[in-house]
Amino acid sequence: MNIGITVYPTYGGSGIVGSELGRDLADRGHNVHFISSFLPTRLTELNDRIHFHEVEMMTYPLFEHQPYDLALATKMATVARAEKLDLLHVHYAIPHSISAILARESIKQKMYVPVITTLHGTDITLVGADRSYLPITRYGLQQSDGVTAVSKFLKAATIETFDFDEIEVIPNFICQKHYKRLEHSPLKEELAPHGERLIVHVSNFRPVKRPADCVKILAKVREAGVNARLVMVGDGPERSACVYLAEKLGMNGNIVFVGKQANIADYMGVADLFLLPSELESFGLAALEAQACEAPVIATRIGGIPDVVSDGESGYLSDVGDIAKMTDDSLILLADEDQRRAFGHRGRELAVQRYSTEKIIPQYIAFYERIVSRTASATA
Ligand code: GMT
């Protein structure tokens, strides 16, 4: 197939999923055309089956805000016609599904390019549910030729907010060759030079991720006598609050903020423990990546996380903000290396069994085939 994919090309989970999906589809022989404002972060290499089409923006003084959605729609339509795309698959509803629908409609006299929208989380739970975007998000869902969601939780949330239920659940996935334990990594020595236990957090540091909870947990873990260090990977609006809190709690020397990293598997692969204390996660891709790297996960019991992290087997789950329990759970695993390893092994086993690319990518391909054949017969 000739597949157009649009993602936010930054460090968000939806961009990662869309990029890794495209790469895997190309490995399976499909032609993949990424259409976005710049090359997605995870897409370091292009080849003869992975192509990139940059959305060009004209700057004009009258525009207070540049209309990216329209430039994207124009590019989608142009690429669809030039490359004879079989479908446009957009990740994150706003504004991508609206741009894709506009593109489809603008060229439908010449060809019909079906639009598939994958919902990732905040596009429904935060942005889409906001009154300013709710009607247009519902329109995007109704007008898409196919809609998928990354978890049962997100499907239920979409039904509740938008009264729209034609949604296929296709969970996120993991490349088991890329995400794995790194036993002898120089990075481990660099981050934990005196054999400290390494706790890792990865996020985009938005309030919904509650990264400051990680700083509080580290302080309490150290108070309990465990020589641990915390590595904070990523960047975003909450980072300065975390730096301030670290200083206030006297944790400066024990926390390292490494900022955005191209290869987070390097960090997860050396983690003794992974923290994800989010207020909401429709899926919790970071938890899945950590589990694939054999890092037990301490997370919150919200959204799609209980499907990914098996409480008491591959990690422990707590209520949002329950620092005391998350600390106790961390201490259990950090104090008992055998149990920590057993949780790590079980996490990898579950990640591979339930979410390997081998299991999930064929579900996307089957969904594409279904939508393409349904729209072909409807438009014949
Ligand atoms: O909010 C983020 O963390 C980014 C966001 C995105 O769309 O880029 O992540 C969402 O999609 C990820 C990939 O499907 C999921 O793993 C995250 O759980 C989800 N985030 C939230 O629901 C808050």
Side-chain angles (χ1 to χ4, degrees):
M1 277 185 270
N2 291 326
I3 300 160
I5 293 185
T6 289
V7 296
Y8 278 112
T10 49
Y11 284 79
S14 58
I16 293 168
V17 172
S19 306
E20 294 192 350
L21 170 63
R23 208 169 31 209
D24 198 283
L25 290 166
D27 286 346
R28 289 165 195 257
H30 299 284
N31 287 309
V32 180
H33 295 267
F34 284 93
I35 307 167
S36 61
S37 50
F38 55 91
L39 194 66
T41 316
R42 289 280 175 103
L43 211 67
T44 42
E45 292 157 27
L46 300 177
N47 60 39
D48 56 352
R49 285 201 294 271
I50 304 184
H51 312 269
F52 172 62
H53 305 269
E54 185 180 338
V55 178
E56 292 134 71
M57 300 275 298
M58 172 198 181
T59 51
Y60 185 62
L62 190 63
F63 297 155
E64 197 186 339
H65 304 289
Q66 306 303 321
Y68 173 70
D69 323 0
L70 299 183
L72 175 61
T74 307
K75 194 71 178 184
M76 285 169 158
T78 312
V79 174
R81 286 198 65 194
E83 305 294 342
K84 300 187 173 42
L85 294 186
D86 292 298
L87 61 99
L88 280 166
H89 184 182
V90 300
H91 292 263
Y92 210 89
I94 296 293
H96 297 154
S97 64
I98 304 304
S99 299
I101 289 159
L102 199 52
R104 181 191 69 197
E105 294 304 305
S106 71
I107 56 172
K108 77 172 177 212
Q109 308 301 345
K110 310 273 183 209
M111 69 181 282
Y112 189 88
V113 60
V115 172
I116 292 176
T117 298
T118 288
L119 307 174
H120 281 272
T122 47
D123 46 353
I124 291 300
T125 55
L126 289 179
V127 182
D130 188 272
R131 292 182 75 82
S132 52
Y133 291 113
L134 194 143
I136 198 79
T137 305
R138 180 184 284 123
Y139 177 80
L141 297 171
Q142 290 166 344
Q143 292 295 316
S144 291
D145 296 284
V147 176
T148 78
V150 297
S151 66
K152 286 182 274 174
F153 162 81
L154 189 57
K155 176 173 177 170
T158 311
I159 294 172
E160 195 184 320
T161 310
F162 297 95
D163 195 20
F164 177 88
D165 65 357
E166 280 170 56
I167 302 167
E168 177 102 349
V169 175
I170 304 182
N172 289 332
F173 50 85
I174 189 83
C175 171
Q176 65 195 77
K177 289 193 210 99
H178 185 62
Y179 288 91
K180 57 178 195 277
R181 184 105 200 121
L182 302 171
E183 283 303 346
H184 305 288
S185 159
L187 185 63
K188 175 100 181 193
E189 275 150 45
E190 192 187 305
L191 296 168
H194 308 294
E196 297 94 333
R197 310 326 303 271
L198 218 50
I199 302 177
V200 173
H201 169 73
V202 177
S203 78
N204 49 18
F205 285 62
R206 282 179 306 147
V208 72
K209 304 286 178 181
R210 297 179 64 100
D213 285 3
C214 301
V215 178
K216 293 178 192 161
I217 293 165
L218 177 82
K220 290 198 173 297
V221 162
R222 289 191 61 88
E223 224 172 84
V226 175
N227 189 11
R229 297 193 87 202
L230 173 64
V231 184
M232 300 284 269
V233 184
D235 206 349
E238 292 293 294
R239 178 171 166 170
S240 47
C242 292
V243 172
Y244 176 76
L245 183 65
E247 210 173 291
K248 201 169 137 199
L249 297 178
M251 286 295 118
N252 261 353
N254 306 309
I255 303 185
V256 39
F257 291 88
V258 296
K260 291 179 183 174
Q261 293 295 324
N263 196 3
I264 57 164
D266 289 347
Y267 290 86
M268 289 175 167
V270 299
D272 293 309
L273 207 61
F274 185 79
L275 296 182
L276 193 65
S278 308
E279 203 168 292
L280 189 58
E281 289 290 346
S282 68
F283 182 88
L285 181 62
L288 175 61
E289 293 168 335
Q291 284 192 175
C293 294
E294 296 181 37
V297 176
I298 303 293
T300 37
R301 193 180 295 100
I302 40 94
I305 288 192
D307 289 341
V308 177
V309 180
S310 182
D311 194 14
E313 270 193 282
S314 64
Y316 288 115
L317 302 181
S318 299
D319 292 338
V320 175
D322 193 344
I323 306 293
K325 181 172 182 312
M326 288 190 257
T327 304
D328 289 347
D329 293 341
S330 302
L331 289 169
I332 292 171
L333 292 166
L334 292 174
D336 183 344
E337 180 60 10
D338 287 344
Q339 190 173 352
R340 200 195 63 72
R341 279 183 186 271
F343 271 49
H345 288 144
R346 182 67 182 138
R348 171 138 181 116
E349 197 172 75
L350 289 173
V352 172
Q353 257 169 27
R354 297 178 182 169
Y355 303 108
S356 65
T357 45
E358 288 76 9
K359 189 175 160 88
I360 305 299
I361 306 295
Q363 296 180 31
Y364 272 114
I365 296 172
F367 189 69
Y368 288 170
E369 285 169 352
R370 218 161 66 228
I371 298 300
V372 168
S373 93
R374 194 174 72 198
T375 51
S377 38
T379 53

